[in-house]
Amino acid sequence: MGIKLNTEYLKNFVSDVELSALTSAVTQAHKGLHEKTGAGSDFLGWVDLPSNTPDALVSELTALAKEVQAHSQAIISIGIGGSYLGIRSTLDFLGGDLKLPLHYAGHNMATADIVKLVKLIEQKHVTVVVISKSGTTTEPAVAFRIIDGAMKKKYSGDELKKRIICVTDEKKGALRQIADKAGYRSYVIPDDVGGRFSVLTPVGLVPLALAGVDIKAFVDGFRAGEKEYANTDMKQNICYQYAAIRNVLYRKGKVIEMMASFYPNVQYVAEWWKQLYGESEGKGGKGIFPASTILSTDLHSMGQMMQDGMRNIFETFIMIDKVADAVMIPTDPEDTDKFNCIAGKDLDWVNKQAYKATAEAHYEGGVPNLVITLDKADAFHIGQLYYFFEKGVGISGYILGVNPFDQPGVEAYKKKMFALLGKK
Ligand code: PA5
């Protein structure tokens, strides 16, 4: 069980001396997070959230899931950014059969998407989870108006109330007022946990439980991460090594971090990570630009740029050690394509050779890379990985000299849109 970090393809790019030089910055950052004295200290609730998450919440949501699964055929989850990506990332990563299919709304305002969801409400029994920490974000608010209207056409009274669940602030915001006035069930997002750090709060836990994810294992994964990545000795803490390495690379002009995976179920993990790192570090003219590729697919579109383009990139591979199924490559008696050399080999072994070849070729082409390997693609490991990246960006952002816990740039577009819409 666990997560490993392989740094063999950093040789000649990051030295032990350069890493040691960051030891005191890492120690300071650790203190800032754990003693809650660093920049943005009002939003450090996520640091000890795993151990502060009550087992009673897990039991309550497991019971809620049973109830909803008994009366619903689908879930609609409304939210954007931190109120969307962690849910999608987890469900895509885990794959497999869900107890209930989950549909997303509120992360765009495309008419075609919402029309499909209104039809779904007409045709099937649905439960809606509407998520917004601020309770005022335009996209989910607009989507909820339309979906709430469709739900009210079909259901009323207690039937309606049991099918709409709000996840929002305890006191503030329009969604809190709507929930209280309509008598919808609601769950609270703690004040001191920012949107992109909130997947372990009811933001993630409610929809994931309803869809049928083992949220106990998910919480346990976070708890394992909290314990493992609290080690103040950087040599023994791969999370702090990751944070320090990316800062050494950044200072040498590697200003783009490409998350790459040979496993397509990692695509939305990368989207979640892009929000976490982009919103946390992209400030005051600083920041490593987070980008992502899914391989082998993108080797035939982005491969040329990675191998041979501007040398301002480093790569972070996400690998999975043990995959669930084995698929053997068949033998072809004629061997026309000359691939009998791999006949009898497992497809995942071939996939891993593609990774090795790519990591080596990119490294030789001037792209250093790190490899994060998860033992398995299950709820425990994705929980641990989320905590790894949350802690990683806290440490990395402090080394970089930014407040990783605000997002003034996101607010700027919101204000302009409110003005265009005439919202008071
Ligand atoms: O990280 C953040 O706080 C933001 O990106 C939010 O997740 C995003 O803007 C959605 O906000 P809300 O949940 O308030 O609707």
Side-chain angles (χ1 to χ4, degrees):
M1 292 238 283
I3 295 178
K4 292 190 198 83
L5 179 72
N6 178 348
T7 57
E8 70 177 293
Y9 294 116
L10 288 177
K11 229 182 284 160
N12 303 325
F13 288 96
V14 179
S15 71
D16 288 347
V17 175
E18 286 165 324
L19 277 183
S20 302
L22 284 180
T23 309
S24 79
V26 169
T27 308
Q28 274 306 108
H30 171 93
K31 274 195 185 161
L33 294 179
H34 283 267
E35 294 171 9
K36 302 210 194 297
T37 50
S41 55
D42 287 349
F43 292 99
L44 292 175
W46 60 270
V47 175
D48 34 26
L49 185 61
S51 47
N52 286 339
T53 298
D55 289 333
L57 177 66
V58 174
S59 312
E60 184 186 334
L61 295 182
T62 308
L64 173 75
K66 279 208 180 109
E67 181 208 309
V68 171
Q69 286 156 10
H71 67 57
S72 290
Q73 295 162 294
I75 309 161
I76 297 174
S77 180
I78 304 174
I80 193 167
S83 299
Y84 157 62
L85 285 166
I87 303 155
R88 180 145 196 188
S89 156
T90 310
L91 292 179
D92 282 18
F93 180 76
L94 296 176
D97 294 330
L98 298 176
K99 291 261 169 60
L100 282 179
L102 192 140
H103 304 266
Y104 303 96
H107 60 293
N108 65 40
M109 289 186 282
T111 306
D113 285 15
I114 207 95
V115 165
K116 279 187 204 145
L117 295 177
V118 169
K119 279 199 184 126
L120 180 83
I121 294 169
E122 286 163 8
Q123 289 160 2
K124 298 214 157 143
H125 285 300
V126 165
T127 289
V128 174
V129 186
V130 52
I131 310 163
S132 178
K133 182 165 191 230
S134 61
T136 56
T137 310
T138 307
E139 292 85 346
V142 169
F144 185 52
R145 267 199 182 210
I146 297 166
I147 284 171
D148 192 42
M151 291 293 281
K152 281 175 177 154
K153 270 195 189 159
K154 182 161 175 174
Y155 306 107
S156 60
D158 286 347
E159 193 60 29
L160 177 71
K161 282 185 200 164
K162 79 176 184 196
R163 292 180 181 278
I164 297 193
I165 301 169
C166 304
V167 180
T168 189
D169 188 85
E170 194 181 0
K171 294 188 185 109
K172 295 188 297 277
L175 184 58
R176 167 52 56 203
Q177 288 175 38
I178 291 170
D180 291 348
K181 203 168 158 207
Y184 294 152
R185 267 193 282 214
S186 67
Y187 289 88
V188 170
I189 309 171
D191 248 357
D192 57 357
V193 180
R196 57 192 174 276
F197 292 84
S198 68
V199 65
L200 184 62
T201 72
V203 167
L205 295 177
V206 171
L208 293 177
L210 301 194
V213 170
D214 178 355
I215 57 167
K216 183 175 178 325
F218 186 68
V219 174
D220 284 347
F222 265 93
R223 287 178 181 157
E226 181 187 3
K227 206 166 156 210
E228 197 165 330
Y229 309 132
N231 194 327
T232 47
D233 180 358
M234 189 163 72
K235 289 203 176 75
Q236 294 182 45
N237 188 331
I238 58 167
C239 172
Y240 291 7
Q241 287 168 31
Y242 169 66
I245 287 165
R246 50 201 306 286
N247 274 276
V248 172
L249 290 167
Y250 175 67
R251 290 172 189 187
K252 293 181 169 183
K254 303 290 183 194
V255 293
I256 298 172
E257 179 174 5
M258 186 69 76
M259 178 170 281
S261 186
F262 282 80
Y263 297 91
N265 60 334
V266 172
Q267 184 181 350
Y268 268 87
V269 177
E271 296 301 327
W272 171 86
W273 167 85
K274 275 151 80 172
Q275 186 203 358
L276 183 66
Y277 278 68
E279 270 189 24
S280 300
E281 291 194 325
K283 281 157 206 175
K286 296 183 190 175
I288 300 170
F289 189 92
S292 63
T293 50
I294 288 295
L295 312 176
S296 294
T297 318
D298 294 338
L299 286 177
H300 294 258
S301 59
M302 299 288 284
Q304 176 64 36
M305 175 62 95
M306 297 301 297
Q307 187 67 44
D308 211 15
M310 201 169 179
R311 301 298 70 187
N312 55 358
I313 303 173
F314 68 98
E315 255 170 324
T316 299
F317 286 100
I318 305 289
M319 293 299 290
I320 295 160
D321 194 21
K322 299 178 193 84
V323 302
D325 301 302
V327 173
M328 295 306 158
I329 309 288
T331 305
D332 175 357
E334 292 180 14
D335 197 22
T336 316
D337 58 10
K338 300 282 179 261
F339 275 118
N340 271 355
C341 54
I342 53 168
K345 294 276 190 199
D346 182 23
L347 179 60
D348 189 56
W349 178 85
V350 185
N351 200 24
K352 287 189 165 94
Q353 306 319 300
Y355 144 70
K356 273 189 195 155
T358 308
E360 212 169 294
H362 287 181
Y363 169 70
E364 286 169 8
V367 180
N369 66 70
L370 299 133
V371 192
I372 296 169
T373 303
L374 277 66
D375 194 41
K376 286 197 244 172
D378 61 11
F380 177 92
H381 284 88
I382 192 67
Q384 186 174 350
L385 186 71
Y386 286 151
Y387 193 84
F388 174 96
F389 281 130
E390 288 179 2
K391 195 78 182 285
V393 84
I395 300 286
S396 178
Y398 281 166
I399 300 175
L400 193 63
V402 298
N403 171 3
F405 308 111
D406 63 1
Q407 53 284 329
V410 179
E411 300 309 320
Y413 111 88
K414 287 188 188 175
K415 275 187 205 143
K416 281 201 182 288
M417 186 159 66
F418 287 163
L420 288 173
L421 299 178
K423 186 173 189 262
K424 298 206 181 75

